[in-house]
Amino acid sequence: MLRAGTPVVLRMMEEITTQKKAARVGQRFMMEVAEPVVVNNVTVVPSGTPAWGEITNVRNKGMWGKSGKLDARVLYMRINGRQIRLTGTFDDKGVTGTAGVVGAVVLVPVVGFFVTGTSAVLPKGGTVGGFIDEDVELSFANAAPAPLQVPAPSPAMAVPVAAPAPAAVQAEPVAASVTPGS
């Protein structure tokens, strides 16, 4: 049984960012399983298994040093034609530009309108954690017995082969004439 709560390490297959207001709530994105999930020394979810996530909250960077923020959740993975629910959330927050705003406002108050924080980014190739959200029944195929190990044959020896005996030919008796003294 693959139990609910089993951790799964996922890798982002695309970059999600608040830069240029590209990210939207409800936007789905692809991930893949980064490390295989193993049960009883058998890999039940191999690396590279496709998975999907969804953006749940977007805050774009703004004036007065406000940074961007992204919240997302993992949804499911698909293996052997089956969709398995996942759970877990993750986020990223850009760096706030508050110190720059305070310094700029002291010198020139209007500058605060033009100082922004940084965008939030969930980078391609970054890893996030999730968990299996349902018990999944597994069935392991019975392993076939190991093949019989047969030693390699030794090199063939050259054995001389006798030529086959010619077939017996029946000959008619020949009268021989024997001359004395020959």
Side-chain angles (χ1 to χ4, degrees):
M1 181 75 67
L2 180 58
R3 295 284 177 196
T6 302
V8 180
V9 179
L10 302 163
R11 179 180 305 113
M12 297 289 294
M13 296 303 293
E14 53 190 284
E15 180 179 86
I16 308 296
T17 181
T18 60
Q19 188 173 13
K20 298 182 182 176
K21 300 182 180 182
R24 301 269 182 244
V25 172
Q27 176 183 341
R28 293 205 172 175
F29 53 91
M30 275 203 73
M31 300 179 286
E32 70 178 6
V33 174
E35 297 175 9
V37 177
V38 178
V39 174
N40 294 335
N41 295 323
V42 175
T43 299
V44 294
V45 180
S47 296
T49 298
W52 285 264
E54 179 180 54
I55 297 173
T56 57
N57 184 40
V58 176
R59 184 183 74 204
N60 293 308
K61 69 180 184 173
M63 297 182 289
W64 298 100
K66 184 174 85 171
S67 62
K69 185 169 188 321
L70 281 171
D71 295 318
R73 66 181 177 150
V74 293
L75 296 174
Y76 62 90
M77 66 181 165
R78 190 171 295 277
I79 184 167
N80 293 334
R82 181 169 178 191
Q83 184 172 303
I84 298 174
R85 288 188 325 261
L86 298 173
T87 186
T89 60
F90 53 100
D91 61 14
D92 186 65
K93 184 176 180 182
V95 178
T96 303
T98 306
V101 171
V102 171
V105 170
V106 170
L107 298 174
V108 182
V110 177
V111 174
F113 284 111
F114 302 104
V115 176
T116 63
T118 60
S119 296
V121 177
L122 298 171
K124 179 179 180 177
T127 58
V128 297
F131 300 92
I132 303 290
D133 194 33
E134 60 183 301
D135 286 341
V136 178
E137 189 173 332
L138 303 173
S139 63
F140 296 98
N142 291 334
L148 179 62
Q149 297 292 326
V150 179
S154 54
M157 295 177 49
V159 177
V161 177
V169 178
Q170 284 191 344
E172 292 187 28
V174 177
S177 59
V178 180
T179 51
S182 347

